[in-house]
Amino acid sequence: MHLEYQGSTTTTRSDFFVAVLPPECAPGGHSLLQNPYRSTSFSSRSLQQSALQDFICDHSLIPGWYQFQIFDKPASMPTQCVEVNHCGTQAPVWLSLGEGESLPRPLEVTQLTACATWQFFLSSSKDCCLFRIPVTVRNCGDFYVYLLQPTQGCMGYCAQEMSDSAAVVCGPDEVEVDGTCKAKQPPSPAVPVIVAELSGSIVYLKCSFEGHSLNSSLGYVVAWSRLSPQGTKEELKQETTVQTFAFIELDGINLRLGDKIYCSCSSFFLDSPDIQGTPVESKEFFAGIRLRPEVTTVSEDGKDYELTVESTIPVPCPGDASSSSSSSSTEQCTLSLHLSTSNQGEDLLGPDVVLSSCQVDLSQSLGCRNGVCSQALVHLSAVTDFLRDGDRTTQISVKPIVTSNFLWSGYTPQSVQITVKDVPSAYCYSFTDPHIITFDGRQYDNYQIGTFVLYKSTRQPFEVHVRQWECGSVVHGASCMCGFVARDGGDVIAFDMCNGELGDTRPHLSVKNRDVGKSGIRITESYQGRKVTITFSSGAFVCADVSDWGMSLTLRAPSSDWGYTEGLCGTYDGQTHNDLHTAGGAALDNEDVAAFISEWSSLFDTVPAYQSAPNPHRYCNCEEESRPKSREPGLSQSLAPTPPVITTAT
């Protein structure tokens, strides 16, 4: 049968439906609000400009049940905030659905609240619910009716068109999303975490996530993927579980060392497995060995830095680890890595980085912590090569692993690159009577007689003292250097001709003190003893050119002493204005050379006390395809811990 509602469209219903139809849904049980200006899509600004008398003001509305229609089609009150100056009024009234509230199901009634939107004059912000009005809503099947009250001022109830189908009413296990009923989403698990575990000789990756322990009605879908060489994620495996973890084998075929792996997890209700929650993905898990340098840019300054070698995968044991119970078997659970250094391109100068060891061992531990299953530490340092070769890059690599274990055999960890900033060495000159040129290039003369500190490092126990004697004539007085003492740690070497008469004495080379635990010193003699060069383990050297009146000196400071020198050779920091300074480091007047020289007088014949300290790190040249040899980070050649070597050349 057909039922015709007052001022509305015709809808088909069954006899049973008519019997239970609420009175406000029946014809005559409600009134119609049909003004099309009430539409949320209608802007009221046009009425403000031309027809203020047409403004909708529901302050005189008679209380009662009302149905909205727009152009003879059923309409409903909007459930989202409506902008001001819409719905034929300045303050539109809309239906507010609070948390847990929804529109009534068919033939049901619900008490709700309507809100009026308002924007204050000259204000840029609006208040979506400045006024609240109680509204009762009845679902009549194909339309809604509303029990409305008159508004508190010139406000208007809004309406929006409904679809041709029945009003959108969602069930208790559904929610309305953009006018459509969708099933409620199951709660998402915590962010998954991937860790590696060793079971016998097999490595598994475990994806763990915290679910809702109180909700036993949940299941989980776990998906594994890895990053392809092209940068896209490839799905490897998907499984369904009621546990809060899942496993995948690192078999060396489908999953290999060096892969970047992810796992994602979504939950579902066991009684509705087709409805899944939003997937949650883990952070990237790198399976393999990583080289982690403390820094990636170093300078030729003699400092050493840490290079951490760590594995995110447990180290294997020969055969089945579960049966390895003897101490000898336990000791074999070690992976030896061979490190090598190389420079990119056809570089004939060799690597600029040395390592404390060319081999590191990763041993099996009881478990993995913070994603690290095994770890080893080596030190690296830049080579001070005394060349102006610019900044260069050295690559530290791990050679392919040789083992019988299928997973690890042939695996090559990714290399790292270290950029070495070139810091050129500096030279100080003291020649003839004597004229001095500092490390930074300042020139001055020293005519005083006595002993002086020419060069002293504040970074390492190295210093050079000189003695000057009278070498002028009766008419023209002058002073010249007649000897020097150089100290490198516990090694003290003197080259002295000050004990004889001017023009009738020969220099004498003597070792005043020897540190047997320190690397050797190289002494080179040429031109029948008139040129003597003493090279120290730091790379510093003193070169003496001997004449009848005395000697001239050339000193080289290694780049590791940049900013760490004092004495008559200046500060070695690229600035000439601070070369004149006191023993305490305070700057002197640039013209007061005499005070500067007096400040650095010394005790030439006193051997300073020094307690030898063991060298914390010895370094190796791990150059690729070369035989590893002992090498100090401050030298471009090896220096063995032997007594001073004297070489004579003609």
Side-chain angles (χ1 to χ4, degrees), residues 85-111:
N85 293 317
H86 282 73
C87 306
T89 186
Q90 283 185 305
V93 180
W94 55 282
L95 200 60
S96 174
L97 296 180
E99 185 175 357
E101 292 183 332
S102 62
L103 293 173
R105 294 173 57 80
L107 303 183
E108 292 182 351
V109 66
T110 302
Q111 303 290 331

Side-chain angles (χ1 to χ4, degrees), residues 424-628:
S425 53
Y427 295 86
C428 175
Y429 306 92
S430 180
F431 53 95
T432 61
D433 55 347
H435 310 293
I436 297 178
I437 303 177
T438 68
F439 290 127
D440 294 327
R442 174 164 183 156
Q443 301 181 28
Y444 67 93
D445 300 323
N446 179 12
Y447 298 124
Q448 297 186 28
I449 296 173
T451 56
F452 307 93
V453 177
L454 193 61
Y455 164 28
K456 182 177 181 180
S457 171
T458 60
R459 180 181 178 274
Q460 52 192 339
F462 182 84
E463 53 191 309
V464 178
H465 297 232
V466 296
R467 171 171 288 169
Q468 296 184 188
W469 63 2
E470 173 66 44
C471 63
S473 62
V474 176
V475 180
H476 300 288
S479 63
C480 304
M481 282 182 296
C482 59
F484 71 87
V485 175
R487 171 207 175 195
D488 182 18
D491 291 324
V492 181
I493 296 180
F495 190 58
D496 183 12
M497 57 186 297
C498 304
N499 293 328
E501 297 292 333
L502 179 67
D504 190 27
T505 181
R506 301 293 296 170
H508 174 68
L509 180 69
S510 62
V511 178
K512 290 181 172 290
N513 198 63
R514 179 78 181 107
D515 183 359
V516 295
K518 194 173 180 64
S519 296
I521 299 172
R522 186 176 299 277
I523 303 175
T524 303
E525 182 184 90
S526 58
Y527 298 103
Q528 298 179 347
R530 289 191 170 273
K531 189 179 189 70
V532 174
T533 302
I534 304 176
T535 304
F536 299 90
S537 59
S538 65
F541 72 61
V542 182
C543 178
D545 291 287
V546 181
S547 298
D548 293 337
W549 45 262
M551 62 184 69
S552 296
L553 296 184
T554 300
L555 280 72
R556 181 174 73 182
S559 56
S560 57
D561 269 354
W562 172 270
Y564 291 99
T565 68
E566 56 186 17
L568 297 185
C569 281
T571 54
Y572 183 26
D573 59 0
Q575 307 292 331
T576 58
H577 65 82
N578 61 359
D579 275 344
L580 305 190
H581 58 283
T582 67
L588 293 171
D589 189 303
N590 277 336
E591 304 301 325
D592 199 353
V593 175
F596 169 57
I597 294 173
S598 299
E599 186 76 22
W600 291 102
S601 59
S602 72
L603 299 176
F604 185 85
D605 296 315
T606 302
V607 177
Y610 175 75
Q611 184 175 0
S612 176
N615 189 358
H617 306 296
R618 292 191 57 81
Y619 287 86
C620 299
N621 178 5
C622 302
E623 185 173 358
E624 191 172 1
E625 303 299 328
S626 69
R627 181 179 178 182

Side-chain angles (χ1 to χ4, degrees), residues 134-462:
V135 174
T136 302
V137 183
R138 170 75 75 178
N139 187 338
C140 294
D142 289 338
F143 60 92
Y144 292 105
V145 290
Y146 303 86
L147 182 59
L148 303 180
Q149 308 295 328
T151 60
Q152 301 174 14
C154 189
M155 308 172 190
Y157 290 101
C158 284
Q160 62 184 10
E161 291 187 8
M162 297 174 56
S163 61
D164 293 337
S165 60
V168 177
V169 178
C170 300
D173 294 329
E174 297 177 321
V175 292
E176 180 185 351
V177 180
D178 298 329
T180 305
C181 290
K182 294 185 178 180
K184 289 183 179 179
Q185 297 284 327
S188 298
V191 177
V193 177
I194 300 178
V195 294
E197 294 186 358
L198 188 64
S199 177
S201 59
I202 301 176
V203 176
Y204 292 96
L205 300 183
K206 181 180 181 180
C207 177
S208 302
F209 45 89
E210 291 184 4
H212 295 262
S213 57
L214 298 179
N215 196 339
S216 59
S217 62
L218 288 178
Y220 304 95
V221 176
V222 181
W224 293 90
S225 60
R226 70 177 174 192
L227 198 65
S228 70
Q230 292 74 30
T232 59
K233 291 181 181 177
E234 303 172 336
E235 185 169 306
L236 302 171
K237 176 185 177 182
Q238 188 176 109
E239 63 179 289
T240 302
T241 178
V242 294
Q243 306 292 335
T244 55
F245 55 85
F247 291 93
I248 191 171
E249 181 182 351
L250 192 65
D251 56 7
I253 301 175
N254 298 307
L255 270 182
R256 299 177 293 272
L257 293 175
D259 281 344
K260 297 176 180 178
I261 305 163
Y262 307 82
C263 73
S264 65
C265 177
S266 60
S267 59
F268 61 89
F269 293 112
L270 295 177
D271 55 356
S272 303
D274 295 335
I275 303 172
Q276 295 184 10
T278 303
V280 182
E281 188 172 68
S282 68
K283 293 182 179 180
E284 178 182 284
F285 177 83
F286 174 77
I289 294 175
R290 290 179 294 204
L291 305 183
R292 291 187 177 274
E294 180 183 351
V295 292
T296 56
T297 300
V298 300
S299 298
E300 294 181 2
D301 55 8
K303 296 180 180 179
D304 66 302
Y305 303 90
E306 292 182 351
L307 172 65
T308 303
V309 183
E310 61 184 29
S311 175
T312 62
I313 303 299
V315 171
C317 294
D320 187 354
S322 62
S323 63
S324 300
S325 57
S326 66
S327 60
S328 60
S329 298
T330 304
E331 293 173 358
Q332 294 178 4
C333 300
T334 300
L335 204 62
S336 295
L337 307 180
H338 298 274
L339 306 178
S340 64
T341 56
S342 62
N343 276 27
Q344 295 180 338
E346 297 180 1
D347 194 334
L348 301 179
L349 297 177
D352 264 7
V353 171
V354 287
L355 305 176
S356 60
S357 176
C358 297
Q359 176 178 318
V360 295
D361 293 332
L362 294 177
S363 300
Q364 187 181 101
S365 58
L366 296 178
C368 304
R369 293 184 178 180
N370 299 322
V372 178
C373 302
S374 184
Q375 190 177 78
L377 188 68
V378 294
H379 289 82
L380 64 89
S381 184
V383 175
T384 303
D385 50 19
F386 306 104
L387 299 175
R388 293 183 178 270
D389 52 357
D391 299 344
R392 302 168 68 221
T393 300
T394 294
Q395 181 171 280
I396 303 176
S397 308
V398 180
K399 296 181 180 180
I401 296 175
V402 178
T403 178
S404 59
N405 185 284
F406 176 76
L407 177 63
W408 290 89
S409 179
Y411 169 56
T412 304
Q414 187 174 0
S415 59
V416 295
Q417 292 185 342
I418 305 296
T419 299
V420 178
K421 308 288 288 186
D422 187 33
V423 180
S425 53
Y427 295 86
C428 175
Y429 306 92
S430 180
F431 53 95
T432 61
D433 55 347
H435 310 293
I436 297 178
I437 303 177
T438 68
F439 290 127
D440 294 327
R442 174 164 183 156
Q443 301 181 28
Y444 67 93
D445 300 323
N446 179 12
Y447 298 124
Q448 297 186 28
I449 296 173
T451 56
F452 307 93
V453 177
L454 193 61
Y455 164 28
K456 182 177 181 180
S457 171
T458 60
R459 180 181 178 274
Q460 52 192 339
F462 182 84

